[in-house]
Amino acid sequence: MAVDALQQEWDPRLKALIGDASPRASERLAALALRAIDPAVRHATTTQLAHLTAADRADVATMCRDRLTALLRAVQRGERTVPVPDLEDFARASADAMCRDYLRRTRPALAKLANRIRLIATRGVGIVGWTTPKGQPVLGLPAWTDQPPLEAPFPWHGRVKDWWGKGHAAVDGPALTPTVVRVLELAGAPVPSEAVAAVIFEVTGSADTGTRVDASPEGDEPELAVLDAGVGPDHLAIARRYLERAWKELLAMPPQMRASLLLSLRDHHGSALLPVFHCAGVTPLRLVADALEMKPDETAAIWAHLPWDDKAIGRRLGLTGLQVLNARTVARSRLLRHMALRDQR
Amino acid sequence: MTAAEHLSLDQVRAYVRGALHPSTLVATDDHLEACAACRAALARESDASFGAEAFGRALAAPEARPESPHATFDHLRGAVDGTLSSIDRQWVEAHVRLCAMCADELEDLERFVTVLPLRKPAAPVVEDENLDALWPPPVASHAVLSPSRPRLPRLDEGDEPPARYGETAPPTLPLWIKVAAGASLVAILQLWAC
C-alpha cells in the first residue's frame, strides 16, 4: 500500500485538534467554531432562508451550529473518518446543505418542482443548467453560460403578477417546460434554479400543504442490543456467536459496502475493530482478506495501519470519500437491521 | 512454523495487539487455524466479549457527518436515468427504503420524466463529491448506463427525434386512412373507365 494512500488530508487547524484533550484544545475548538462556523451558518441562513421568520431562521441556525460543532468534537475524539481539507469551505457547504434539507422537508411541493425544473435542463430542450464558481445551481439559455446569474432581490420581487403578465404557467406536466423558458426569457439572464422554482410556484398560486416528518435515515435505526462485557465461558460463547452472525451478514453485503465499513471500523479509542473477528477465532486472516478482495499478504501489510480514513478507503475502492461515507452508512443500517431481525427470531 | 511449534505467549499477545510484522502475520494466522492449543491461548488473551461489545457500540454510534445524509438532485436524476455507478445505485436504493423524503422526490421525478420529451440525458451522472460541478454541460454526451436498474425507454440512434415542446409535429395520416383513400381512388377510376 502506497504511503500516500494512508496520509490524511486535513485542515492543519483540525489536524492539530485530533486526540488533543487538553483545556487549550477546547479553547481552540471554541475559537474555530466562532471564526469558521458562525459566518458560514449566518451566510447560509440569510441567503437561503430569507423568506422565513426570524425565529425559524434562528432555529435552523442553531441546528446547523450544533451539528458543525459536534463535528469539531468528533474530530477531536478521532471519530471523524472523512478528512476535512478546508474548514471554512466545509462549514459553508454543510450549512448550505442543511438549509436545503430543511427546505426540502418543510416545503416538499416546492422541492419537487425544483427537481422537475432541473431535470428539464438535462433534456436538451433549449434550457441548460450549470453551477457557478460559488456552487450555486443556475438555469439559463445555452448562450448565457458566461453571464453572472441574477441575484436577489429579483426583478419580479413584490410584483410577480405584473411581471408575468397573462401567459399560462404550470408546475407540472409538459407545460412546465415552456413556463421555465418564459421565466428565463423575461429575466433575460441566468437565474438560480431555486428562484425559478419559487417564482413559478408564486405565479401559479401553488402552496405547500404540509411539512414532512423528519425523514432522516439516521433516526430510525433499530436499537442494537449491545453486549455487556463480561467474563466466563458462557459470555465468551455468546460474544463469539454474535460476531459470527455479524460476519455472516457482512459477507452477504456487496463488496464495496463491506469494505467501506470494515476498513474504517474503530472503537471509542480510535483502534481498529476489524482484528476483532480473527482474534475471536471467527474467521482466519485469509478469509478476512477475501472479504476485502485483497491478497493475504496485502491485508497483513495494512493491518497495523487500520483503521483507514475514508479518503484512503476511497482510493482503494475507486470511490470518493463521500461515496465511502454513504456506503458505510448503508452498511451500518443494514447490519443493524438484520442483526435486530435475527434477535427477534 | 508447524503445529508442533506452538506460539509463545508474547507471539499470541503481539498477534492480538496487531504488533506482528506483516511477513509473520499470515504464517501465524495459518498456524492458529491448524492448532487448537494456540487457538485456546488466543481465546484466553483476546476477550471476545470486549471485542463484540466494542463492535456493537461502533455500529450503533451515529456517524459524525454534518454533510447532508440525503440524496442530491444528481443522485435522483441518475436513478431516474439509470446512469448511477453501482455503489451510488446501491446507496440510493437503500436510502430511499429508509427516507420518505427522498423516496417521495424520486417517485415524483420518475412520474415526471414520463411526460418529458424523450431525449438522451445530457451527461452521465457522476461519481464524486463535486456532483454539482458536473451538472449537465450544454453539450450532450452518451450516458453510462446502470447494469441492473430498469431504464426508461429512450430513442434509438436512428429514431426520429420527437418535437421539442412548443413545436408542432408535422401532420401524418394513419395508415388505414391512406389505404382507404387509395382503394377509393381505384374504385372511382374503375367507375370512370366503365
Side-chain angles (χ1 to χ4, degrees):
Chain A
M1 179 58 48
V3 173
D4 69 353
L6 302 172
Q7 281 178 352
Q8 304 191 348
E9 295 161 13
W10 284 94
D11 184 310
R13 293 165 298 171
L14 292 178
K15 200 168 185 178
L17 271 183
I18 298 172
D20 187 350
S22 68
R24 282 209 61 193
S26 299
E27 285 168 21
R28 283 209 307 275
L29 192 148
L32 273 182
L34 203 64
R35 222 174 301 139
I37 292 176
D38 280 3
V41 170
R42 214 174 307 123
H43 181 263
T45 49
T46 48
T47 53
Q48 294 203 43
L49 309 178
H51 57 284
L52 299 187
T53 64
D56 283 348
R57 265 205 313 275
D59 282 350
V60 181
T62 305
M63 186 253 312
C64 293
R65 258 186 224 108
D66 287 352
R67 286 177 65 174
L68 283 162
T69 311
L71 162 87
L72 294 183
R73 294 210 187 90
V75 169
Q76 190 183 11
R77 290 194 300 267
E79 291 170 5
R80 169 78 189 183
T81 54
V82 188
V84 177
D86 184 295
L87 180 59
E88 275 80 7
D89 281 354
F90 182 81
R92 210 174 302 125
S94 298
D96 280 345
M98 283 183 244
C99 290
R100 268 201 304 276
D101 285 347
Y102 176 82
L103 290 176
R104 284 169 75 180
R105 211 167 56 240
T106 53
R107 305 196 66 186
L110 181 62
K112 283 192 267 192
L113 172 60
N115 286 341
R116 282 179 225 134
I117 291 170
R118 290 185 73 178
L119 192 70
I120 287 171
T122 68
R123 275 1 197 212
V125 289
I127 307 162
V128 290
W130 67 96
T131 304
T132 64
K134 288 181 185 169
Q136 187 178 38
V138 294
L139 294 170
L141 303 185
W144 292 355
T145 51
D146 293 338
Q147 291 184 35
L150 294 182
E151 287 181 15
F154 297 105
W156 52 83
H157 183 70
R159 54 181 199 98
V160 172
K161 297 283 178 195
D162 292 342
W163 180 80
W164 180 257
K166 287 190 188 293
H168 175 68
V171 292
D172 206 344
L176 178 56
T177 307
T179 305
V180 176
V181 171
R182 186 170 151 82
V183 168
L184 295 175
E185 285 172 352
L186 285 172
V191 183
S193 59
E194 306 291 334
V196 175
V199 72
I200 294 175
F201 213 61
E202 208 175 333
V203 164
T204 53
S206 306
D208 261 304
T209 47
T211 300
R212 284 167 170 140
V213 290
D214 190 350
S216 167
E218 301 287 327
D220 59 354
E221 282 166 357
E223 285 287 317
L224 185 74
V226 176
L227 289 175
D228 291 326
V231 286
D234 284 355
H235 228 93
L236 290 178
I238 291 168
R240 206 185 133 114
R241 275 204 301 277
Y242 172 86
L243 289 172
E244 280 169 351
R245 269 170 42 204
W247 186 250
K248 211 176 266 179
E249 293 292 347
L250 283 161
L251 291 182
M253 281 181 191
Q256 287 179 317
M257 227 180 248
R258 176 169 60 232
S260 297
L261 181 65
L262 288 179
L263 291 172
S264 64
L265 265 181
R266 64 195 67 203
D267 65 14
H268 60 288
H269 298 301
S271 306
L273 279 171
L274 180 53
V276 159
F277 291 99
H278 78 133
C279 285
V282 171
T283 180
L285 188 70
R286 286 180 188 279
L287 294 186
V288 174
D290 282 351
L292 297 171
E293 299 190 326
M294 289 180 180
K295 291 176 183 157
D297 292 348
E298 202 182 350
T299 310
I302 66 164
W303 213 240
H305 301 285
L306 292 175
W308 277 2
D309 67 57
D310 290 356
K311 207 91 179 176
I313 298 171
R315 284 195 194 107
R316 163 86 207 171
L317 301 177
L319 304 175
T320 65
L322 191 57
Q323 284 175 318
V324 172
L325 180 59
N326 285 338
R328 191 177 54 249
T329 308
V330 169
R332 263 186 61 237
S333 298
R334 180 179 157 147
L335 196 51
L336 285 168
R337 277 166 196 281
H338 287 203
M339 299 281 279
L341 273 178
R342 280 177 178 238
D343 282 345
Q344 283 168 16
R345 282 185 215 139
Chain B
M1 193 179 300
T2 65
E5 300 165 26
H6 292 302
L7 300 173
S8 69
L9 191 58
D10 282 347
Q11 281 175 310
V12 172
R13 285 178 177 163
Y15 180 86
V16 170
R17 286 200 317 273
L20 284 180
H21 191 272
S23 59
T24 55
L25 179 58
V26 179
T28 306
D29 198 73
D30 287 345
H31 174 82
L32 282 164
E33 186 70 358
C35 177
C38 289
R39 277 205 306 278
L42 175 67
R44 283 192 298 274
E45 288 303 314
S46 73
D47 190 337
S49 61
F50 280 107
E53 184 194 355
F55 178 76
R57 286 195 193 285
L59 270 191
E63 293 274 359
R65 57 175 295 169
E67 299 98 335
S68 171
H70 296 289
T72 62
F73 167 76
D74 296 275
H75 285 125
L76 298 176
R77 178 196 149 206
V80 165
D81 289 339
T83 54
L84 289 175
S85 65
S86 73
I87 189 79
D88 282 334
R89 183 167 41 79
Q90 286 162 9
W91 177 71
V92 169
E93 284 170 1
H95 179 80
V96 295
R97 276 200 292 273
L98 299 173
C99 176
M101 181 174 88
C102 292
D104 189 26
E105 289 186 16
L106 179 59
E107 199 180 314
D108 183 71
L109 275 190
E110 281 173 337
R111 181 197 53 75
F112 179 66
V113 82
T114 60
V115 304
L116 279 176
L118 291 177
R119 285 179 186 277
K120 284 182 190 298
V125 174
V126 209
E127 301 257 339
D128 84 4
E129 291 159 354
N130 303 317
L131 286 170
D132 284 343
L134 294 166
W135 193 26
V139 181
S141 63
H142 290 280
V144 177
L145 299 175
S146 153
S148 64
R149 187 173 170 93
R151 286 179 53 199
L152 292 162
R154 300 247 175 76
L155 284 178
D156 290 323
E157 291 298 320
D159 285 354
E160 191 182 326
R164 287 186 178 192
Y165 189 78
E167 290 174 355
T168 313
T172 54
L173 291 172
L175 185 61
W176 68 270
I177 292 182
K178 291 176 183 171
V179 172
S184 306
L185 189 63
V186 169
I188 290 166
L189 285 173
Q190 279 174 343
L191 280 172
W192 182 73
C194 294

